[in-house]
Amino acid sequence: MDSNSLYYSLELVAGSGHILTLEQRTALESSLVLLRKNYKFSRVLFWGKILGINGVYFIAQGRGEDEMKDKKNLYSLNCMDWFLLPPASDSMIEEVSKATKGRFMGDPSFVYEHQEIHRQGKGNEPVNEKAVITVTEEKRLAVSVHQIDAEVSVVPRGAFIKSPRGLVQLNRSFCGLSEAEARKLDNFLHFRQSKNMKKKSALDMGDWNPAMDYLDALSDDIPKGSWSLQFEFARKVCVLRSLLWFGLTFYHVPMTPQHGYIYIGDGTKNLDLPFML
């Protein structure tokens, strides 16, 4: 959610239990303004927080000229001092998947270790060699934020447009979805590089606008039923909750450009979802 409307946005997702203390809100209001100035971001989003056993990570996301590609994630332990997270590479994701398990500890310097035994040699005397994989919790945090963003970050259709140069930017003329449109998952999109666009037939793409229809719709997600759509606040606010990543909540006020999402959870994926539906 945009840091410029933090107070207002937090009230709209409070029905999910996603709240911050008055001290945390006040600290974020001032520190995110300085963060935007110091790093020269176009805008700054309060992404959410990941709950650890001994501490909490507050996450912010800075956006550049291209809203999709020019993104940097930062974390804080006190809502005031911010530290850049490293970009999540394929090798880092693989190491984290092997070495980490359980909940976050809340200490970015905490080290996870994983031993692998590789059998080498031929004949009657093979040699076993041990390889130890070590991963800091800071890297695990970077991977978790990257995965949550890639799988469940949501925007309403038309909120972002793709320019002829390929830049993804805010649509200044976006006035919001109608109430009827907000009741359909087809009108909510994943804010990531499209994965299903090449699978669409020419018939499906006949009426599509390339400036707006370049993202995957939530209705195409597998398994079906991984999103909960409800209207709250006297049916004035559309709220989407992810059942794949518990704690991800998206809101949109129909007929207005107000929208955003926040994640407040323990950073673990609900792998049991296919058996719950």
Side-chain angles (χ1 to χ4, degrees):
M1 54 181 61
D2 199 310
S3 59
N4 292 331
S5 58
L6 187 61
Y7 269 61
Y8 170 77
S9 301
L10 286 172
E11 292 296 326
L12 298 181
V13 297
S16 300
H18 296 166
I19 60 174
L20 299 175
T21 65
L22 179 60
E23 292 80 2
Q24 291 171 346
R25 291 190 185 193
T26 305
L28 287 171
E29 283 280 315
S30 58
S31 67
L32 293 180
V33 173
L34 295 175
L35 188 68
R36 176 181 177 181
K37 179 180 179 181
N38 293 338
Y39 286 89
K40 296 180 173 57
F41 292 132
S42 297
R43 65 190 188 114
V44 172
L45 310 181
F46 178 61
W47 188 90
K49 63 181 182 178
I50 292 182
L51 312 175
I53 296 175
N54 300 319
V56 176
Y57 296 107
F58 297 90
I59 312 296
Q61 188 174 86
R63 300 277 181 89
E65 184 181 13
D66 190 313
E67 292 270 341
M68 183 174 293
K69 296 179 180 178
D70 299 336
K71 294 192 296 185
K72 291 185 178 179
N73 298 318
L74 304 96
Y75 73 94
S76 174
L77 300 174
N78 57 8
C79 298
M80 292 297 295
D81 303 313
W82 294 92
F83 307 94
L84 273 173
L85 284 170
S89 61
D90 292 339
S91 59
M92 185 189 298
I93 294 174
E94 184 179 358
E95 290 177 354
V96 169
S97 65
K98 291 180 179 180
T100 62
K101 61 180 180 180
R103 291 186 57 186
F104 281 81
M105 297 302 296
D107 178 7
S109 62
F110 182 81
V111 177
Y112 298 88
E113 291 187 356
H114 173 70
Q115 286 189 355
E116 288 186 340
I117 299 177
H118 301 284
R119 178 167 294 185
Q120 296 183 351
K122 298 180 180 179
N124 297 327
E125 297 182 357
V127 179
N128 293 334
E129 290 189 358
K130 290 184 179 180
V132 180
I133 299 175
T134 59
V135 174
T136 62
E137 186 156 279
E138 186 180 60
K139 289 184 178 180
R140 181 187 182 187
L141 183 64
V143 169
S144 294
V145 173
H146 169 77
Q147 290 178 331
I148 294 172
D149 247 1
E151 296 185 13
V152 289
S153 59
V154 184
V155 295
R157 181 180 182 273
F160 291 85
I161 57 175
K162 194 171 187 177
S163 71
R165 292 190 298 155
L167 296 177
V168 177
Q169 298 175 321
L170 280 170
N171 184 1
R172 303 296 178 183
S173 62
F174 177 66
C175 298
L177 302 174
S178 67
E179 183 176 342
E181 291 173 333
R183 294 183 179 277
K184 300 178 181 179
L185 282 179
D186 293 337
N187 293 312
F188 297 100
L189 312 172
H190 285 286
F191 195 63
R192 67 184 184 204
Q193 293 293 335
S194 175
K195 297 180 179 180
N196 301 325
M197 197 64 64
K198 295 181 180 179
K199 301 177 183 178
K200 298 289 185 180
S201 65
L203 183 62
D204 294 333
M205 301 179 66
D207 297 329
W208 284 24
N209 184 340
M212 293 191 297
D213 298 316
Y214 56 93
L215 301 173
D216 298 327
L218 301 191
S219 56
D220 294 332
D221 284 4
I222 297 175
K224 300 290 185 181
S226 59
W227 291 94
S228 168
L229 191 156
Q230 298 172 329
F231 274 79
E232 300 181 357
F233 289 90
R235 302 178 68 178
K236 293 182 179 179
V237 181
C238 174
V239 178
L240 277 165
R241 296 181 177 89
S242 172
L243 303 182
L244 183 62
W245 289 91
F246 287 133
L248 190 288
T249 303
F250 166 86
Y251 74 91
H252 174 53
V253 183
M255 304 306 296
T256 75
Q258 295 292 334
H259 67 90
Y261 66 90
I262 187 173
Y263 177 82
I264 298 182
D266 58 9
T268 56
K269 190 175 182 179
N270 180 22
L271 299 177
D272 295 328
L273 177 61
F275 306 101
M276 298 169 60
L277 298 176

